[in-house]
Amino acid sequence: MILDLARLMLFPALMAFAAASDLLTMTIPNRVSLALLAGFLIMAPLTGMGLHEMLNHAGAGALVLVVAFGMFAMGWLGGGDAKVAAAAGLWFGFEHLLAYLVFASLFGGALTVLLLQLRQYPLPYPLTSQAWLMRLHDKQTGVPYGVALALGALVVYPETDWIKAIDIARFAIS
């Protein structure tokens, strides 16, 4: 039961924390990516994932890391975003990687368009006391892409074996 709770909560909670951190501070702490990595390394063997499948997941994470750091080097993506995307790729493996990247891209595009539109108008005075809103509204500030990465992950995660292997009936209250 504890293992099932960890499957249900660990990855989604860390991704939600990454999104909130990026939204509020425009940074994603390294400890989030490290916690995702450590969580995978602990959860994978505990849930019966074999070595071959773990290597498959590691390959997916490594591929995302290489591509995302290329995007970081070009200034298209933040370093925290690249690390979180790679850690999410580790959890998804190649089986769900494309779906994750498509959803994250769609959410990222929508978020970018929304922010560009909102930045065209002055921030209402009562909101100007919020430093994070001022930073988010600044036209010189980038897009907190961690939000899109987290949304994409939370859409795809329920379709993975991490969740499908849980016996939800055990959580029902009799």
Side-chain angles (χ1 to χ4, degrees):
M1 179 145 185
I2 291 175
L3 189 58
D4 286 345
L5 282 173
R7 285 181 196 232
L8 278 172
M9 297 179 67
L10 180 66
F11 180 78
L14 288 169
M15 292 304 291
F17 181 83
S21 176
D22 206 14
L23 182 65
L24 296 174
T25 67
M26 295 298 288
T27 59
I28 301 172
N30 286 335
R31 67 179 179 267
V32 175
S33 302
L34 292 172
L36 285 165
L37 172 63
F40 176 83
L41 293 175
I42 292 167
M43 293 290 293
L46 288 177
T47 59
M49 188 180 288
L51 180 61
H52 183 269
E53 193 174 359
M54 286 174 61
L55 290 173
N56 174 298
H57 282 250
L63 176 64
V64 173
L65 186 65
V66 167
V67 172
F69 265 99
M71 295 171 74
F72 169 70
M74 303 283 247
W76 299 342
L77 194 65
D81 299 326
K83 290 177 267 188
V84 164
L90 174 68
W91 277 78
F92 289 127
F94 285 110
E95 184 178 354
H96 298 284
L97 184 61
L98 182 60
Y100 166 62
L101 295 174
V102 167
F103 276 111
S105 297
L106 291 172
F107 286 126
L111 179 63
T112 300
V113 169
L114 176 68
L115 281 177
L116 288 174
Q117 288 299 313
L118 289 175
R119 289 173 178 169
Q120 298 302 311
Y121 304 100
L123 195 60
Y125 179 73
L127 301 178
T128 59
S129 64
Q130 300 295 319
W132 70 275
L133 279 174
M134 291 296 291
R135 186 173 33 255
L136 192 61
H137 192 264
D138 184 355
K139 291 179 181 177
Q140 302 304 314
T141 303
V143 175
Y145 210 78
V147 174
L149 295 172
L151 288 173
L154 295 176
V155 167
V156 174
Y157 189 66
E159 301 302 318
T160 66
D161 290 341
W162 295 105
I163 297 298
K164 288 184 177 182
I166 297 173
D167 182 7
I168 301 296
R170 289 194 296 178
F171 292 102
I173 299 174
S174 304

